[in-house]
Amino acid sequence: MSDAKPAVPSRRQAARLAAVQALYQWQEGQDAPAEIIEQFLKVRTGEAGEGGMRRDADRPLFKDVVEGTTTNRDALEAMVTASLAQDWTWARVDRLVRAILLAGAYELAHRGDVPWRVVINEYVEIAHAFYDKGEPSFINSVLDRVARQARPDDQK
């Protein structure tokens, strides 16, 4: 048995996880993105469990991913849909998986400062926090196809 403690997510990982949670909430359709961002930054910061955001999370990254994803939803959805396997439709994708894919697609398309492999890895790790079956592999393959569309020059 190892005495090693599990690695604590970085500030950026914590921001991405909170962004996925915020995007999941946004898909529920009851709150506007600005309201959800405010809830996370003012009320839910420091809350334990799946509904909160770590106090030291990278707040600008969190805000950028949520705002950018919601603002560019249609284009991101089209990009992700085009990257699904032939027998899959957007409507068939689980809501949490949608939130992960949209956030990952946003970073791939609009955050050229983050290497595409890092983006994919970060969102696959988030998937592992919620799923223990095939979803992380599904997310990996879809985001890999999105990266080829969004950053064709980086794939060479």
Side-chain angles (χ1 to χ4, degrees):
M1 181 172 265
S2 172
D3 291 332
K5 294 180 182 177
V8 175
S10 72
R11 295 177 65 238
R12 292 176 72 84
Q13 288 168 327
R16 287 183 176 103
L17 176 59
V20 165
Q21 293 166 329
L23 291 168
Y24 179 85
Q25 181 179 337
W26 168 67
Q27 289 181 91
E28 293 288 313
Q30 296 180 5
D31 296 313
E35 293 171 43
I36 295 168
I37 290 168
E38 186 172 338
Q39 287 174 16
F40 271 83
L41 295 178
K42 293 187 177 176
V43 178
R44 295 168 70 175
T45 298
E47 284 184 7
E50 292 181 5
M53 181 169 72
R54 234 175 56 196
R55 287 191 193 286
D56 67 341
D58 184 332
R59 290 169 176 237
L61 176 63
F62 164 78
K63 189 175 180 189
D64 180 55
V65 171
V66 175
E67 286 179 345
T69 301
T70 57
T71 299
N72 296 287
R73 176 189 190 162
D74 292 340
L76 295 172
E77 245 181 62
M79 188 180 291
V80 171
T81 299
S83 299
L84 295 174
Q86 195 169 15
D87 59 335
W88 277 85
T89 63
W90 184 247
R92 185 176 169 196
V93 177
D94 175 78
R95 188 176 296 133
L96 179 57
V97 172
R98 285 183 196 176
I100 295 168
L101 290 172
L102 287 172
Y106 170 74
E107 284 204 58
L108 289 167
H110 297 277
R111 296 289 310 237
D113 59 313
V114 183
W116 65 272
R117 289 184 177 159
V118 171
V119 172
I120 294 171
N121 185 61
E122 292 287 299
Y123 288 101
V124 168
E125 287 303 312
I126 288 171
H128 279 293
F130 295 99
Y131 299 103
D132 60 358
K133 301 244 187 284
E135 290 86 349
S137 294
F138 173 77
I139 288 165
N140 184 60
S141 66
V142 173
L143 289 180
D144 183 65
R145 285 187 219 111
V146 169
R148 292 175 198 282
Q149 287 179 60
R151 300 187 188 182
D153 294 339
D154 291 352
Q155 307 298 313
K156 295 176 184 171

